Amino acid sequence: MSSWYASIPSPGPEWQQIPLPFWPYRITTYALIILVGIVVAAIWTSRRLTKRGGEPGVVLDIILWAVPLGIIGARLYHVITHPGDYFYPGAELWKVVAIWDGGNAIFGSLIGGAIGAWIGCRWTGIRFWSFADVLAPALLLAQAIGRLGNYFNQELFGLPTNVPWGLQIDAGNKAIPVGLPDNTLFQPLFLYEIIWNVIGIVVILWLERKFKLRWGKTFAVYLIWYGLGRSYLESIRIDPSEFSILGIQSNVWAAFLAVVLGVVLFIVQTRRHPGLEPGVYVTGREWHKPDAEVDSDDTDSDDEDEGDDAATPNEPGAAKATSSLGS
């Protein structure tokens, strides 16, 4: 019983919705946290893209496609892999679209978001892989923030555990197997993924600066890192997907696939583009910064911009870019 008191408490139902001033309705905490993650990721991605020559604000034109399709993909993937939660005699079928109750799969959001980002990049003239590279660390940050929503919803937790940092879950939670004592603690998967993602941000930024990763190779590292972490976390999840192949849950296979895609993408892009990117825009769609008088307060030192501006074609002695295709 002492371990119960030393454990991580979960927020009660009263924390799942937040009243808004001057508004008769409430907003779910889950939705608010997801929104915060999207906004933070968009701001950071915009800053990174602008420092590489992108037009300020062009990220908004891309996320207007990526975010809605990412949300749709996330929900569809979850419903498809958890059909028993939505399709049964007497089920309220409208809950298939009730994303505010939780149940949005990261892998589905990656698929839908990638389709939306590709459309947005075609619309704006931004190279898709250039956008993917600047997005990679911000995407990990958004996913880390979003996991707090799972905490408030008391979802995405792991198998029973006796570790001091075990997570308390209300006894009525439908994901808890029948027969477990009311004071059972569970692995806090949301916390594990937050920690993994934050470490991944540091690793990605270091590798990007150290090896001047471009042409989609930063995003490839993201796929490898995230896939490795999720492959383990999904294997100890208490409410895995309902589909399995060779005894391995579909979400674990999806994590393995992310790792494989990351490795393939890194190898292919390294061979295709050994040189530097000519810019973040497709040839003929470049944005040119308007001539303006430079204010000394607005200038940054080369050292400060080295992380995101490294490997630009204008560096002294830089190798000639190998391609101007929108790969």
Side-chain angles (χ1 to χ4, degrees), residues 179-243:
L180 289 179
D182 290 347
N183 62 347
T184 300
L185 300 179
F186 300 89
Q187 294 281 3
L189 298 193
F190 82 94
L191 180 60
Y192 296 164
E193 185 166 328
I194 289 174
I195 295 172
W196 180 258
N197 289 351
V198 171
I199 295 173
I201 293 171
V202 177
V203 170
I204 285 177
L205 292 177
W206 181 81
L207 290 174
E208 183 181 63
R209 174 174 294 191
K210 178 72 174 178
F211 299 102
K212 298 179 172 59
L213 300 181
R214 296 293 192 272
W215 296 110
K217 287 179 280 189
T218 300
F219 188 74
V221 174
Y222 158 81
L223 288 174
I224 296 170
W225 182 269
Y226 190 70
L228 287 174
R230 281 301 295 269
S231 64
Y232 170 72
L233 295 178
E234 287 291 338
S235 68
I236 62 172
R237 186 170 174 172
I238 204 168
D239 60 336
S241 59
E242 298 176 21
F243 296 105

Side-chain angles (χ1 to χ4, degrees), residues 273-298:
H273 306 289
L276 304 176
E277 279 187 342
V280 297
Y281 283 94
V282 175
T283 302
R285 301 286 302 277
E286 296 88 350
W287 172 78
H288 299 285
K289 185 176 181 180
D291 293 334
E293 185 176 341
V294 178
D295 191 312
S296 60
D297 292 334
D298 295 333

